[in-house]
Amino acid sequence: MTRCGHLCASSKRMRRHWSDVHGISGSNDFASHARSVNLQTFFRGTKLKYFEVSVESRAPGSQSLDEGAGCNRMEPAVHDVPSQAQSMSLSGSSPVVDLETLTYFHHFTTTTCLTLPKIDDSLPASKYWGTYIVSLALQQHWLMCGLLAVSAYHSATLDGEKTAQEKHYGRATNLRSEFGVGFKKIMSNTLNNFPTETFQKTRTVAIQVRSIMSCARWLPTGLAANQEVVLDSTTGLSQLQYLLCDIRDFASSELGKSLEIEQSMGDDPQTSFGTNSLQVTVTALAVLLNRLQMLPYRMAEIFGKPDHEQDAPAILLSIGALIRCCSSICNCNDLPRAWQSISTWLNKTTNHFNHMISLHHTAALIVLAHWAAILVKWTEVYECWLIQGFSRTIVLLISEHLSMHDGARGLVEGLLE
């Protein structure tokens, strides 16, 4: 059919496609609507997609598949397959194709792309990340490494086995390093081996992919798997300032300002995730709000008089801003608005409070842990793994740091329960 690129393995399924999509039924003139081609696919399952291969690529002596001998499975319609994918060569600018690479690529195009923030109003997130950005990445090895790294990070959050999580995270770290080489070149305008318009598009996409990775790399899995984050009583918070910088950069980026997730924002969260799930989160936020209101009194009992005259005002102001933030999102069922309300708290704290964080001041760290716990609870409703990941890391880092301090430890215990 005109402009229809649907491919399938049997004439029966092709006729079903005519009926479902084009409204043609009962036609016996097969040749007028379809032609026989050589097909190939990398994957099985409900997300299966075929692509056409040339006759020249067929092994000598091989025969065409009988059109009725296809595998017993359903294929979705395939329209407007990017020309870059059709002409892609596995040498030069493409990553080495092995089973691990294909697994991460498949996971990105079928699963991870659905969990990333929407950017372009004219395209759903699945098309933007799963088709548009993939078509650009198929032309640049380093950019494809970035997508595979995001996929590996996401895979680490879904795998329940610790060894497998660490393997995913280690692979993601290596892929992120390869992405970084190309990113530096394109940002310095030295990577211009393609037309100017494509160069600008690739540069914009590269910034977006880097923004995603800046959050994804702070998953709790990385605490044990990544040498960049060291967990012990003296250096457990050595990377906290870098983490907070990444969060601020993400919050101010195009991605962070929208944070519209396709699979969750298309429906009312009470329908998508269940009324009980949302109610549990609201209840958990109410408990956190109560803890915040009692925090100044509990801190005074444990820590006594502050060391510096500006410490107490800075802590009280930060707690007050956090209480208002928590109160405002208790009745909010919109992830972007809730994220904006929570993330702006970082900009409402005083310079002295930020200085206390940089010095790993116990009281300031406790307030920061409560802020991160609010993020964890709210993003659980929307399964926003990027934000939930780095938020959990903040709470875990601070809890580990305060584990030897009996009084302070009690103020952060149970924040993630």
Side-chain angles (χ1 to χ4, degrees):
M1 305 297 293
T2 304
R3 292 187 177 181
C4 177
H6 181 69
L7 302 171
C8 59
S10 71
S11 56
K12 179 180 179 181
R13 290 195 176 93
M14 182 58 78
R15 288 191 172 91
R16 184 183 301 164
H17 169 74
W18 295 344
S19 176
D20 294 344
V21 177
H22 302 292
I24 299 175
S25 59
S27 175
N28 293 320
D29 188 7
F30 189 86
S32 66
H33 298 302
R35 62 186 175 88
S36 296
V37 296
N38 294 278
L39 303 178
Q40 186 172 336
T41 183
F42 284 131
F43 309 104
R44 295 175 179 270
T46 57
K47 299 294 185 180
L48 177 147
K49 289 186 179 181
Y50 288 107
F51 57 90
E52 184 178 350
V53 295
S54 63
V55 176
E56 288 76 13
S57 65
R58 192 172 61 199
S62 63
Q63 296 181 351
S64 299
L65 290 174
D66 181 83
E67 68 175 6
C71 297
N72 197 19
R73 55 199 176 209
M74 294 293 292
E75 308 87 8
V78 180
H79 301 282
D80 299 325
V81 180
S83 59
Q84 292 94 335
Q86 294 175 343
S87 62
M88 185 184 104
S89 169
L90 295 181
S91 61
S93 63
S94 320
V96 176
V97 177
D98 54 30
L99 289 178
E100 184 184 66
T101 301
L102 291 176
T103 299
Y104 286 135
F105 181 76
H106 179 249
H107 183 73
F108 183 87
T109 57
T110 61
T111 305
T112 305
C113 68
L114 300 174
T115 70
L116 301 178
K118 183 179 178 181
I119 296 294
D120 192 333
D121 289 336
S122 64
L123 287 175
S126 57
K127 288 289 185 183
Y128 183 80
W129 291 98
T131 301
Y132 171 69
I133 288 186
V134 165
S135 68
L136 291 176
L138 286 169
Q139 303 173 69
Q140 294 294 320
H141 167 79
W142 60 272
L143 185 55
M144 178 59 75
C145 286
L147 301 191
L148 296 177
V150 174
S151 178
Y153 283 127
H154 186 218
S155 298
T157 68
L158 300 178
D159 204 313
E161 206 276 314
K162 183 178 179 181
T163 302
Q165 289 178 348
E166 293 180 354
K167 181 180 178 182
H168 288 309
Y169 197 94
R171 183 63 176 135
T173 300
N174 293 335
L175 288 164
R176 182 166 61 86
S177 297
E178 293 188 56
F179 168 84
V181 174
F183 182 81
K184 290 179 180 178
K185 290 182 178 179
I186 200 168
M187 294 307 291
S188 60
N189 294 322
T190 59
L191 191 65
N192 50 10
N193 56 331
F194 40 77
T196 302
E197 182 179 356
T198 305
F199 178 85
Q200 293 300 329
K201 289 180 179 178
T202 306
R203 193 172 186 270
T204 300
V205 166
I207 294 172
Q208 294 168 354
V209 173
R210 183 177 180 272
S211 182
I212 292 292
M213 284 194 293
S214 69
C215 291
R217 73 190 187 104
W218 294 107
L219 298 173
T221 305
L223 297 180
N226 190 1
Q227 294 301 316
E228 293 179 353
V229 182
V230 184
L231 266 185
D232 60 54
S233 59
T234 57
T235 58
L237 293 177
S238 61
Q239 298 293 307
L240 185 60
Q241 290 302 116
Y242 295 104
L243 195 164
L244 292 176
C245 285
D246 281 344
I247 294 173
R248 287 189 174 95
D249 289 344
F250 178 78
S252 61
S253 69
E254 186 179 10
L255 290 164
K257 288 178 179 178
S258 66
L259 204 73
E260 184 174 346
I261 308 298
E262 179 178 302
Q263 64 176 172
S264 61
M265 296 311 297
D267 304 296
D268 187 330
Q270 294 192 20
T271 301
S272 301
F273 303 102
T275 305
N276 290 339
S277 176
L278 189 62
Q279 185 59 48
V280 167
T281 298
V282 171
T283 301
L285 288 173
V287 172
L288 281 173
L289 180 59
N290 184 62
R291 289 183 62 155
L292 281 169
Q293 291 169 338
M294 297 300 299
L295 197 55
Y297 306 101
R298 297 183 66 188
M299 282 184 173
E301 292 176 356
I302 294 172
F303 303 127
K305 186 178 179 180
D307 297 331
H308 192 281
E309 62 180 6
Q310 294 186 40
D311 288 357
I315 292 295
L316 290 174
L317 287 172
S318 65
I319 293 175
L322 194 52
I323 288 174
R324 290 189 293 274
C325 167
C326 189
S327 300
S328 68
I329 67 171
C330 279
N331 298 318
C332 176
N333 61 354
D334 181 86
L335 177 60
R337 282 192 300 160
W339 159 246
Q340 285 300 311
S341 177
I342 301 171
S343 63
T344 53
W345 176 81
L346 290 174
N347 298 323
K348 294 178 180 179
T349 56
T350 65
N351 290 333
H352 187 76
F353 179 84
N354 296 332
H355 180 63
M356 293 171 72
I357 291 291
S358 68
L359 297 177
H360 302 164
H361 191 286
T362 301
L365 292 177
I366 291 171
V367 179
L368 181 63
H370 281 72
W371 171 79
I374 293 173
L375 270 179
V376 171
K377 295 301 180 183
W378 187 248
T379 52
E380 280 178 348
V381 177
Y382 295 88
E383 298 178 351
C384 188
W385 63 279
L386 287 170
I387 296 176
Q388 189 180 29
F390 69 64
S391 304
R392 282 185 173 275
T393 296
I394 292 175
V395 177
L396 293 174
L397 280 171
I398 294 174
S399 297
E400 179 70 19
H401 180 74
L402 302 178
S403 61
M404 303 303 293
H405 192 305
D406 292 338
R409 184 179 64 227
L411 297 179
V412 294
E413 282 181 339
L415 284 178
L416 297 180
E417 296 178 357

